[in-house]
């Protein structure tokens, strides 16, 4: 890419657009805004290609670029609408749902639904951290850089989610049915 | 046989492994042939941890609508369009000027945005190509006040809100050309050998040295050129490019209005001169033995700017000079040069500052 080979930019766009778009959509930003921001980010990379620094993870870098832009737009909108300052973090309105497929019985289903409710009740930043780790496969360091918090906070955030899990499922045993019987 | 999961004891550890998550989400855990599934069968002591990890994943499912190939492709094309638009127009800071007594204003300079101005005509492209070392700059006024753009030749452009001016960082070549969308008032330094041209989507205005207004609304409504002093020639731009003959040569207090593309240009006397033109009209810039504060006050009043200086330092100064018809920066240059070779001025964010020892 630094040498100005256009197909390098194409490859970059093709590889990263999906996860970036998916992430952007989770933050509560509109599609037009996200696509706009992404186009700007990629175009900038190309335009400044002889001034690029090497990064450890291109993916994390792109995530950060997108998040920063979306945050800036969000904050401008908040200010213009004169909303209170607490709303100036990205809303991250996503809600998790339950995977119904593998539920063996009603008891398990009930527990999953309770767990799900607790996860959805977590503050937006924690939900975002869970999403980034377990869906976008970012490392704790990358998440820390992205959310602008320190590494320890990321571990804490994730632990809190698991703490919820542990409380909920303290006594749930893995249904043995699928292990012993229903293999395909 | 070693398996990476041998070391995992707690649900956290399993969850932290992307392979584990993929194994769960894909449903592969149900396949007895899958190596990870076989591992679990062989390690029943981890069953509880694995189970809890799986439950967390199942309780945090996200439905992500598919991003289609078409969407990715459309985005990719959009990227290249933006790259082309940004190509010769780098970001650059332009000195904004705050108006004395008015609300805060700042001139913001942007790279050509994806909505932005398409390079108007071929001729401009060619000129740029012939002088590759010239950088083109963009000034977009996103404030609510008129903003000042200072050009390399000393000319000044007062850009109205919403206006966009494209100009080179230095003028090289036979003409001094800038591109305008929106409205601006120009004060052009005299240089007969290098005509100054303002190009808009539908008009090309050529001047030798004068002050005039060009209005070229982006929405395609009437374009207008209004002359305060001097003479300008106006050429319409149509499908075939710039007309070879000017449709109008305007003198002071004359204007021409072009309604839409390919329409006739209507020439008339200026009935309502624009504000800046009026203020300049009403301010005399002929001074005889005038003290510095008087001269500076005249400039402040006419342009609506503030000049910061130490009156005590220039107590002994009195100038005889005529500054009419010079752009603001030229007026300042003439005055400060007359005051002494150590006197300088600079355009700052919210004022003009003059300093240095003068009038010995």
């Amino acid at each position: 890419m630094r040498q100005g080979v256009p197909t390098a930019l194409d490859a970059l766009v093709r590889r990263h657009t999906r996860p970036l778009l998916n992430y952007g959509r989770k933050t509560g930003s509109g599609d037009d805004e996200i696509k706009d921001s992404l186009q700007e980010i990629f175009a900038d990379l190309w335009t400044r290609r002889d001034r690029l620094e090497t990064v450890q993870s291109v993916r994390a870098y792109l995530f950060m670029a997108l998040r920063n832009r979306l945050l800036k737009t969000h904050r401008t909108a908040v200010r213009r609408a004169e909303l209170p300052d607490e709303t100036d973090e990205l809303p991250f309105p996503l809600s998790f749902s339950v995977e119904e497929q593998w539920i063996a019985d009603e008891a398990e289903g009930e527990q999953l639904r309770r767990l799900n409710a607790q996860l959805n009740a977590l503050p937006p930043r924690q939900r975002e951290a869970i999403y980034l780790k377990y869906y976008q496969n970012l490392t704790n360091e990358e998440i820390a850089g992205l959310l602008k918090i320190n590494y320890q906070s990321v571990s804490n955030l994730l632990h809190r989610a698991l703490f919820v899990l542990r409380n909920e499922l303290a006594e749930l045993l893995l249904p043995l049915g699928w292990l012993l019987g229903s293999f395909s | 046989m070693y398996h990476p999961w041998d070391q995992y004891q707690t649900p956290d550890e399993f969850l932290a492994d992307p392979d584990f998550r993929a194994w769960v989400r894909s449903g592969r855990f149900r396949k007895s042939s899958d190596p990870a599934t076989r591992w679990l069968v062989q390690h029943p002591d981890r069953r509880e941890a694995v189970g809890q990890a799986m439950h967390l994943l199942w309780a945090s499912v996200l439905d992500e609508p598919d991003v289609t190939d078409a969407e990715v492709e459309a985005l990719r094309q959009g990227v290249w369009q933006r790259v082309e638009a940004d190509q010769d127009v780098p970001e650059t800071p332009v000195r904004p000027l705050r108006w004395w007594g008015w609300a805060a204003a700042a001139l913001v300079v942007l790279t050509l945005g994806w909505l932005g101005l398409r390079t108007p005509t071929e001729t401009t492209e060619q000129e740029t190509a012939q002088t590759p070392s010239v950088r083109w700059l963009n000034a977009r006024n996103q404030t609510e006040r008129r903003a000042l753009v200072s050009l390399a030749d000393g000319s000044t452009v007062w850009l109205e809100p919403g206006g966009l001016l494209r100009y080179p960082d230095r003028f090289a070549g036979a003409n001094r050309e800038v591109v305008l969308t929106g409205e601006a008032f120009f004060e052009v330094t005299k240089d007969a050998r290098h005509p100054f041209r303002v190009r808009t989507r539908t008009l090309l205005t050529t001047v030798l040295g004068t002050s005039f207004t060009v209005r070229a609304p982006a929405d395609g409504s009437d374009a207008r050129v209004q002359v305060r002093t001097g003479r300008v020639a106006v050429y319409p731009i149509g499908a075939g490019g710039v007309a070879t003959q000017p449709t109008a040569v305007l003198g002071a207090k004359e204007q021409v209005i072009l309604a839409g593309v390919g329409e006739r240009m209507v020439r008339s006397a200026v009935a309502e001169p624009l504000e800046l033109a009026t203020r300049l009209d009403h301010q005399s810039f002929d001074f005889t033995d005038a003290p510095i504060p008087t001269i500076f006050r005249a400039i402040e009043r006419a342009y609506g700017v503030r000049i910061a200086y130490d009156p005590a330092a220039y107590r002994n100064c009195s100038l005889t000079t005529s500054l009419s018809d010079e752009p603001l920066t030229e007026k300042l240059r003439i005055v400060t040069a007359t005051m002494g070779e150590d006197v300088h001025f600079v355009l700052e964010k919210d004022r003009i500052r003059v300093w240095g020892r003068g009038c010995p």
Side-chain angles (χ1 to χ4, degrees), chain A residues 10 18 25-26 35-36 40 94 97 99 102 108 116 131 133-135 137 159 162 172 176 183, chain B residues 12 15 21 25 30 47 55-56 58-62 64 67 69 71 76 78 80 82-83 114:
Chain A
D10 285 343
R18 275 193 179 82
R25 285 172 172 163
K26 300 285 177 304
K35 289 179 177 171
D36 226 39
E40 261 182 43
L94 81 93
S97 38
E99 176 64 76
W102 315 118
E108 191 184 4
N116 173 257
Y131 169 75
K133 181 144 188 86
Y134 298 137
Y135 276 86
N137 298 335
H159 268 119
L162 294 173
L172 185 74
L176 298 179
F183 285 142
Chain B
D12 313 32
L15 281 170
R21 303 200 288 270
R25 287 189 179 130
R30 298 176 62 234
R47 226 186 279 162
H55 282 106
L56 180 70
W58 290 339
S60 59
V61 166
L62 278 178
E64 292 187 315
V67 176
D69 284 345
E71 274 179 293
R76 189 189 69 84
W80 285 113
R82 197 177 296 231
V83 166
W114 69 285

Side-chain angles (χ1 to χ4, degrees), chain A residues 137, chain B residues 4-5 14 16-26 28 36:
Chain A
N137 298 335
Chain B
W5 297 0
F14 284 101
D17 187 338
D19 294 329
F20 173 82
R21 303 200 288 270
W23 174 74
V24 172
R25 287 189 179 130
S26 61
R28 264 187 290 132

Side-chain angles (χ1 to χ4, degrees), chain B residues 42-61:
Chain B
Q42 286 157 13
H43 294 82
D45 57 320
R46 317 293 169 91
R47 226 186 279 162
E48 188 177 332
V50 167
Q52 290 185 352
M54 288 168 113
H55 282 106
L56 180 70
L57 291 176
W58 290 339
S60 59
V61 166

Side-chain angles (χ1 to χ4, degrees), chain B residues 219-287:
Chain B
D219 62 7
S221 50
D222 295 357
R224 181 193 309 240
V225 177
Q226 193 183 82
V227 178
R228 183 182 157 259
T229 64
R231 295 186 78 72
V232 320
V234 183
Y235 304 72
I237 298 177
V242 182
T244 41
Q245 293 297 326
T247 301
V249 175
L250 304 173
K253 305 277 191 293
E254 293 190 305
Q255 69 177 354
V256 81
I257 299 176
L258 179 66
V261 178
E263 298 297 321
R264 291 170 52 82
M265 298 207 297
V266 177
R267 180 191 182 133
S268 60
V270 174
E272 308 147 354
L274 295 142
E275 186 204 340
L276 195 46
T278 310
R279 280 153 62 137
L280 285 170
D281 281 346
H282 288 160
Q283 181 64 53
S284 166
F285 284 106
D286 293 324
F287 302 104

